[in-house]
């Protein structure tokens, strides 16, 4: 199945979707079941949940926003997967007030840790929602990408501030509460008892290339997507990625 998101938006999602789809396929083979139970914490309107449901999996979305959950319901209905998508209001810290522990084959934790009061607790809860053999897909804002973006915009003092700030913020006006390095995210995953299966840089170049170039230059979008994919796994580029994606796996996650 090809990337289900719109082409321009796929610059921001293609790498994560490819890794996630491969992880889902591996879990299907390992379990012998065609349909997996997937938890999407902070899944919002279903940017990932609905495409995952289109693959035939059952998806539970936990999100604190009623408006996002309403949009999820509408999106799932329009896509024909309403019977495989369930939305419940909640957050990562109160996760087990709304879902059961150990009930999911795959847990998505995308864009959640930046806003969590305690990121380590958030990761531990996400892991506790997994079955004994399962996979965690973790996506969070990268420190290096923000520093590079501020510097290229001429905001050198803000770029330096972000480097020194414990939360990776460039100042009081920064809308992002927290950013991470690849080392910090892998430490959180390993600290919660998972093995790190892969680390990918996301939006390494996409946020730096002028949109008009991508939209008007023939073949530019496809070439940029291929460049993002080629650089995503290279550690040298993790330090400048806008987002970082870590795949965590329980021991025996790929055993049959």
């Amino acid at each position: 199945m090809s990337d289900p998101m719109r082409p321009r938006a796929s610059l921001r999602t293609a790498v994560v979707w490819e890794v996630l789809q491969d992880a889902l396929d591996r879990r299907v083979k390992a379990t012998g079941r065609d349909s997996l139970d997937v938890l999407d914490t902070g899944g919002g309107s279903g940017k990932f949940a609905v495409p995952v449901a289109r693959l035939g999996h059952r998806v539970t979305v936990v999100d604190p926003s009623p408006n996002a959950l309403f949009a999820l319901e509408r999106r799932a209905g329009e896509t024909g997967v309403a019977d495989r998508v369930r939305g419940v209001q909640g957050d990562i810290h109160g996760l087990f007030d709304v879902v059961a522990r150990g009930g999911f084959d795959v847990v998505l934790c995308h864009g959640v840790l930046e806003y969590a009061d305690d990121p380590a607790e958030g990761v531990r809860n996400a892991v506790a929602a997994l079955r004994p053999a399962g996979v965690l897909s973790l996506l969070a804002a990268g420190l290096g990408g923000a520093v590079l973006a501020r510097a290229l915009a001429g905001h050198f003092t803000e770029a330096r501030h972000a480097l020194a700030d414990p939360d990776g913020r460039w100042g009081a006006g920064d809308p992002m509460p927290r950013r991470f390095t690849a080392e910090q995210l892998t430490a959180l995953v390993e600290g919660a008892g998972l093995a790190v299966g892969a680390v990918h840089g996301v939006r390494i170049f996409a946020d730096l290339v002028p949109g008009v170039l991508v939209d008007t230059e023939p073949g530019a979008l496809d070439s940029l997507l291929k460049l993002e994919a080629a650089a995503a796994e290279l550690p040298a580029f993790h330090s400048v990625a806008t987002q970082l994606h870590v795949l965590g796996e329980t021991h025996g996650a790929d055993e049959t």
Side-chain angles (χ1 to χ4, degrees), residues 91-247:
D91 61 30
I92 192 68
H93 291 302
L95 187 60
F96 301 116
D97 294 334
V98 293
V99 301
R101 292 178 181 269
F104 299 91
D105 301 291
V106 178
V107 173
L108 280 57
C109 187
H110 294 174
V112 172
L113 295 189
E114 298 93 325
Y115 302 93
D117 293 334
D118 184 343
E121 180 191 27
V123 176
R124 288 195 299 269
N125 284 350
V127 172
L130 287 171
R131 287 177 172 146
V135 174
L136 171 68
S137 174
L138 180 64
L139 180 68
L143 170 63
V147 172
L148 184 60
R150 300 316 288 174
L152 291 178
H155 303 299
F156 307 122
T157 300
E158 292 178 348
R160 182 164 52 85
H161 188 282
L163 276 175
D165 185 76
D167 293 323
R169 304 182 76 232
W170 47 256
D174 192 339
M176 185 64 68
R178 188 181 290 106
R179 295 183 178 87
F180 300 88
T181 64
E183 291 76 16
Q184 288 171 330
L185 288 179
T186 55
L188 287 173
V189 170
E190 291 173 341
L194 297 188
V196 173
V199 180
H200 292 82
V202 180
R203 291 158 57 188
I204 297 169
F205 307 104
D207 291 348
L208 303 176
V209 176
V212 63
L213 172 64
V214 177
D215 293 335
T216 60
E217 187 72 19
L221 176 61
D222 184 58
S223 295
L224 183 53
L225 283 169
K226 291 178 180 178
L227 177 61
E228 288 277 353
E233 289 189 81
L234 300 178
F237 290 97
H238 294 167
S239 59
V240 296
T242 299
Q243 292 179 309
L244 294 163
H245 183 250
V246 178
L247 198 70

